[in-house]
Amino acid sequence: MSTGTIAATGAAAPAGRRRNRPGVLPGFGISMGYAVLYLSLLVLIPLASLPLKSADLGWQGFWDTVTAPRVVASYRLTFGAALLAALVNLVFGMLVAWVLVRYRFPGKKILDALVDLPFALPTAVAGIALTALYAKNGWLGGPLEQWLGLKVAFTPLGIVVALIFIGIPFVVRTVQPVLEDIEREIEEAAASLGASRWQTIRRVLLPTVMPALLTGFALAFARAVGEYGSVIFIAGNRPMVSEITPLLIISKLEQFDYAGAAAIATVMLVLSFGLLLVINLLQGWQARRGGRLA
């Protein structure tokens, strides 16, 4: 046996032993089986029941239900408000994370704790608080309507405000750890090479935090699409104006129209999955692009 063969065999043996070494969790087959079973019971089977239940309507009944003018208007409002709120959170969530990571100031820990408040606060409580604040006789609603002619409560704008409130922690908490890992020396090196602040942000910081930004955007958008408790109080719930799709689903259930509720929920599921798939593809493309540039 040649020296090269012996060396190759000796190198392969420890690698094989490392692969066969028992880990903390059981083997791949058992772990994979439990993971699939868990996801099936909690996610896949409940979601699969939606199109199965909506099949009771028949194709024509399904189409008439999901394309009714009132339902289409709720789609437009729900996804449009969720997208706008997620975009706002994308910008200002990044700003809040930057302030928390890069600056020291009195009350920083309090501000950091307040970011998580929408996580802990019941959504109904958040809706009532926002309605009281932005109503015509509220602390902010009155001055906004009197001075700027801007009515927030019981309008689509109120829905956007509520969705911004419940979505901003997702962006902040996703971007904050990434910013903490970026060393200041990188920015200082860019500045020493003649880069302006905008060039440093665009060519150094943004490529690094973009995957985290897209993840936070996707989480905020997904949460906003399905939000109910914080929205119904401030929305006004006027058909064709400020009525969200989750409210229509609840209305169908209260009328014992389970097939109609399942049909609308199926459309929501397909649209949400499609948009999240696009966001994940963009995130993967950005990560591969960042790896090539590196």
Side-chain angles (χ1 to χ4, degrees):
M1 183 179 295
S2 64
T3 306
T5 306
I6 295 174
T9 305
R17 287 198 296 269
R18 285 197 297 270
R19 285 195 297 269
N20 296 327
R21 185 182 301 168
V24 176
L25 296 177
F28 173 77
I30 298 177
S31 301
M32 186 66 177
Y34 277 118
V36 172
L37 176 63
Y38 183 79
L39 290 176
S40 298
L41 292 175
L42 294 183
V43 180
L44 298 180
I45 294 177
L47 293 182
S49 66
L50 291 177
L52 292 177
K53 185 63 179 179
S54 63
D56 296 342
L57 295 171
W59 172 248
Q60 188 60 44
F62 176 87
W63 182 256
D64 292 340
T65 299
V66 300
T67 58
R70 182 177 176 183
V71 178
V72 173
S74 72
Y75 295 151
R76 190 181 302 112
L77 176 63
T78 299
F79 285 96
L83 182 61
L84 181 58
L87 289 174
V88 172
N89 282 328
L90 186 69
V91 177
F92 290 96
M94 172 69 180
L95 180 61
V96 172
W98 178 266
V99 170
L100 290 175
V101 170
R102 290 306 175 93
Y103 299 103
R104 295 182 179 180
F105 53 90
K108 177 180 177 179
K109 292 184 177 180
I110 297 176
L111 179 61
D112 194 22
L114 287 176
V115 171
D116 294 326
L117 185 61
F119 283 150
L121 196 65
T123 55
V125 176
I128 294 173
L130 291 173
T131 304
L133 186 64
Y134 287 100
K136 187 175 182 179
N137 56 350
W139 290 351
L140 295 180
L144 285 175
E145 188 170 353
Q146 181 179 359
W147 298 338
L148 301 177
L150 191 62
K151 187 176 181 180
V152 178
F154 315 123
T155 65
L157 179 58
I159 298 175
V160 175
V161 170
L163 297 182
I164 291 173
F165 175 81
I166 58 97
I168 193 169
F170 291 97
V171 179
V172 175
R173 293 311 184 205
T174 306
V175 175
Q176 190 173 357
V178 179
L179 289 177
E180 290 174 348
D181 291 338
I182 299 177
E183 299 179 357
R184 292 177 179 267
E185 288 77 7
I186 299 177
E187 302 168 38
E188 294 173 356
S192 65
L193 293 173
S196 63
R197 290 186 176 182
W198 169 243
Q199 289 176 325
T200 302
I201 292 174
R202 184 167 59 90
R203 297 187 177 181
V204 177
L205 295 178
L206 279 182
T208 305
V209 302
M210 186 57 68
L213 278 173
L214 289 175
T215 300
F217 174 83
L219 292 174
F221 174 78
R223 171 66 188 277
V225 166
E227 181 61 22
Y228 176 77
S230 64
V231 174
I232 56 172
F233 292 100
I234 198 172
N237 306 320
R238 289 182 294 165
M240 308 294 293
V241 177
S242 59
E243 188 177 45
I244 58 174
T245 306
L247 179 61
L248 275 180
I249 296 175
I250 295 296
S251 300
K252 292 282 187 181
L253 293 175
E254 291 176 346
Q255 298 167 10
F256 302 101
D257 184 7
Y258 300 119
I264 299 174
T266 300
V267 174
M268 288 281 289
L269 174 63
V270 172
L271 293 176
S272 300
F273 180 79
L275 289 172
L276 291 177
L277 178 62
V278 171
I279 294 172
N280 286 331
L281 290 176
L282 287 174
Q283 183 180 3
W285 172 80
Q286 179 64 32
R288 290 191 300 270
R289 181 173 178 268
R292 288 196 300 267
L293 292 177

